[in-house]
Amino acid sequence: MRAALLAAGFTADGLLELLGGPAYSALARSETVPALRATRGGGPLPTLVRLFLLQQSVPASRAAAVLPLDDALADGWLVGEGAADEAGSVRATVDIRPYGGPDGQDWWIVADLGCAVGGAGGIGARHEDVVLGVGGASTTLAGITVRKPVARALDLGTGSGIQALHAAQHATRVTATDVNPRALAFTRLTLALSGAPGADLREGSLFEPVEGEEPYDLIVSNPPFVIAPQAAPAEGDAAGRLTYREGGMSGDDLCRTLVERAGEHLADGGYCQLLANWEHREGEDWQERLRSWVPAGCDAWIVQREVQDIAQYAELWLRDAGDHLAGRDVYEARYAAWLDEFEQRGTTAVGFGWITLRKSGAERPHVQVEEWPHPVEQPLGEEVEGHFARQDFLRDTDDAALLDLHFRLADEVVQEQVGMPGAEDPEHVVLRQNRGMRRASKVDTVGAGFAGVCDGSLPAGRILDAIAQLVGEDPVILRDRTPEAIRLLVGQGFLRPVPDAD
């Protein structure tokens, strides 16, 4: 199968060339009409696109010209409609989606037909143990994951296997778990079809399949984080828990449990990275709630990327399940069930974001919880690793030592001055990153001057002494009040310590 797909050019690049940008983008949204028009002419690549992405039957003769047809039928990739001969036709049983690896590899993700995330028809309308393909959440997690070489990696809740596939490129051994046995079968196909080493596949929930084993250097998870009603469906209502998105626990307990228990399964220096939803509850600080989840001995960086009120959240996931197509009465009843449950727990909104833990063993762990809804530049794995390295540096460096060190302004930083037109001096100065998290930090005149001359040639203390002379300020007072601002700029990546500076 792999050789046949490559020979036909059924790759991410080949797909884009065939369909063109608009149809390619529409297909990512599960809109198929533009792609159907682009594949009317026949040929090997259009045949595969129609079979595996557009859920179309094709003549058996066309399939036989591009695939090992007898083997594909025997192994269940395809099924026949009528006689599988010149007069018959075949259709695919799975979605095989080209996916470009980080180093230009040609990979394929195997999932249920038509189950790319974001489809207008509602994914969950098919069956409870559906296995999703590639979506924005899975590519986001792949992009933020630290990619240094490791011995042992765990993909918890593997789904179609995209995280396991990435991990196989830099981990000696990959274990992939899922409560859904169909997901494990799809992961095996994804890895094999993409030419990756096989993973140790285990069925079970959360950490149950790996209890009592050696810790992991990397744990990744795109878990079933959707906060859905736990009440049993009403009589005559067939709605049930959707395994691919709902973990079966109350509120955000699944994400909390995963975070709280991750520490005991991490090796020293290991990372746990996951996507999560969390509740904003009336009378509670959401940031403090999340800080309380972090296990002892772990540093944490938690970034809230989006917040939805409870009505928006319910509507999003009702549509995802296809409930908006079930009739007005059914839809309104299910909508009310979501709002009832949120009301019972005092939930006012739901946040979505990234959680990264690193097992540092520090007596004073650094836990940073922040809101950053602005665009970032993926991949962010190196930025995540750099974030924790900077926190180590700041934790081990007191203020006196900080002022003796040399710093350099990061290459991608630009300075913006904001003020009224014609004014002699700006109202404030903003330092802005053009890479990574693309942060912006407002600084005062001293901070802007300090950052502007940080080229690694002078220690921080001498730069501050020179600035104090220029602005007529007591250098002792300036040295006392500036380290906090320097720590902020270092922690956010604007300033970088220069190693071994004279």
Side-chain angles (χ1 to χ4, degrees):
M1 285 292 290
R2 175 178 170 81
L5 300 185
L6 284 170
F10 189 58
T11 64
D13 289 341
L15 196 60
L16 178 59
E17 183 177 352
L18 171 70
L19 301 182
Y24 186 87
S25 299
L27 189 59
R29 302 190 299 270
S30 292
E31 295 291 349
T32 60
V33 173
L36 284 168
R37 294 174 63 85
T39 56
R40 289 176 293 184
L45 183 53
T47 295
L48 293 178
V49 172
R50 283 185 166 249
L51 271 174
F52 293 116
L53 298 182
L54 303 180
Q55 305 177 53
Q56 299 293 301
S57 297
V58 304
S61 57
R62 284 179 58 183
V66 65
L67 293 170
L69 182 59
D70 291 341
D71 290 338
L73 288 167
D75 291 343
W77 299 92
L78 306 176
V79 293
E81 295 182 325
D85 54 24
E86 293 293 325
S89 62
V90 295
R91 60 179 176 83
T93 61
V94 291
D95 182 299
I96 301 178
R97 194 156 299 249
Y99 179 81
D103 297 317
Q105 304 99 321
D106 290 317
W107 290 344
W108 294 270
I109 309 301
V110 185
D112 273 314
L113 281 171
C115 284
V117 175
I123 293 167
R126 293 167 176 82
H127 48 83
E128 192 170 307
D129 58 353
V130 66
V131 179
L132 297 192
V134 179
S138 53
T139 55
T140 292
L141 179 58
I144 68 173
T145 299
V146 174
R147 294 299 176 193
K148 65 179 182 178
V150 295
R152 290 166 53 81
L154 171 64
D155 177 12
L156 193 153
T158 186
S160 57
I162 182 173
Q163 309 305 329
L165 179 57
H166 277 280
Q169 312 308 305
H170 63 102
T172 303
R173 179 178 178 182
V174 176
T175 300
T177 70
D178 205 289
V179 71
N180 181 3
R182 294 185 74 251
L184 298 176
F186 279 108
T187 293
R188 180 178 61 82
L189 294 174
T190 289
L191 295 172
L193 196 59
S194 300
D200 181 4
L201 304 176
R202 304 188 187 183
E203 182 180 345
S205 177
L206 296 177
F207 292 104
E208 291 173 3
V210 297
E211 291 290 357
E213 297 193 356
E214 290 182 48
Y216 291 88
D217 306 295
L218 174 67
I219 300 172
V220 292
S221 183
N222 180 14
F225 51 64
V226 175
I227 301 171
Q230 297 303 303
E235 185 177 352
D237 185 352
R241 183 170 71 87
L242 301 174
T243 305
Y244 74 89
R245 72 178 201 183
E246 299 167 16
M249 295 186 183
S250 176
D252 52 21
D253 282 353
L254 183 137
C255 293
R256 175 185 56 79
T257 301
L258 201 161
V259 173
E260 289 178 343
R261 297 197 54 204
E264 63 194 85
H265 296 278
L266 278 176
D268 292 341
Y271 288 87
C272 173
Q273 298 186 261
L274 64 141
L275 305 182
N277 276 184
W278 46 77
E279 293 177 293
H280 289 224
R281 294 180 179 173
E282 189 173 357
E284 296 184 39
D285 185 318
W286 69 270
Q287 293 179 319
E288 289 304 316
R289 283 193 74 235
L290 295 186
R291 286 191 181 93
S292 72
W293 293 3
V294 178
C298 287
D299 297 326
W301 185 19
I302 302 173
V303 182
Q304 180 168 273
R305 296 287 290 157
E306 183 180 1
V307 182
Q308 290 185 322
D309 64 48
I310 56 175
Q312 290 175 307
Y313 189 80
E315 291 161 13
L316 169 67
W317 295 109
L318 285 166
R319 286 186 170 272
D320 174 80
D323 289 341
H324 61 304
L325 305 175
R328 185 173 184 84
D329 291 343
V330 172
Y331 176 74
E332 291 184 353
R334 293 177 185 171
Y335 198 150
W338 284 69
L339 298 184
D340 287 344
E341 186 133 339
F342 284 137
E343 183 178 345
Q344 290 170 10
R345 288 198 303 274
T347 305
T348 58
V350 177
F352 168 82
W354 320 326
I355 298 178
T356 299
L357 307 176
R358 187 193 57 163
K359 193 165 186 178
S360 64
E363 293 184 7
R364 297 179 293 111
H366 177 82
V367 178
Q368 181 170 325
V369 183
E370 62 176 317
E371 187 166 13
W372 189 253
H374 310 293
V376 300
E377 182 188 52
Q378 287 274 35
L380 277 170
E382 290 187 6
E383 172 63 20
V384 172
E385 192 173 6
H387 168 87
F388 287 95
R390 294 192 295 269
Q391 304 314 318
D392 286 343
F393 165 79
L394 292 172
R395 183 163 45 206
D396 297 338
T397 307
D398 62 24
D399 286 353
L402 194 73
L403 295 180
D404 286 337
L405 293 174
H406 298 234
F407 296 92
R408 185 185 305 276
L409 189 67
D411 293 338
E412 69 276 7
V413 175
V414 296
Q415 177 178 303
E416 300 174 357
Q417 296 185 350
V418 181
M420 296 296 295
E424 183 175 348
D425 296 314
E427 295 178 11
H428 60 264
V429 176
V430 174
L431 299 180
R432 188 178 301 277
Q433 300 168 343
N434 287 324
R435 305 292 299 274
M437 290 291 287
R438 294 179 173 169
R439 292 188 183 278
S441 182
K442 186 189 295 187
V443 294
D444 60 14
T445 303
V446 171
F450 179 84
V453 298
C454 277
D455 60 2
S457 62
L458 294 173
R462 287 185 58 186
I463 294 174
L464 290 178
D465 291 343
I467 291 175
Q469 186 174 4
L470 286 173
V471 300
E473 187 169 341
D474 186 330
V476 175
I477 295 176
L478 191 61
R479 278 175 171 255
D480 284 344
R481 72 176 177 84
T482 305
E484 182 178 353
I486 296 176
R487 287 181 179 278
L488 177 64
L489 293 176
V490 171
Q492 293 185 341
F494 289 95
L495 294 177
R496 297 174 179 172
V498 177
D500 303 323
D502 294 331

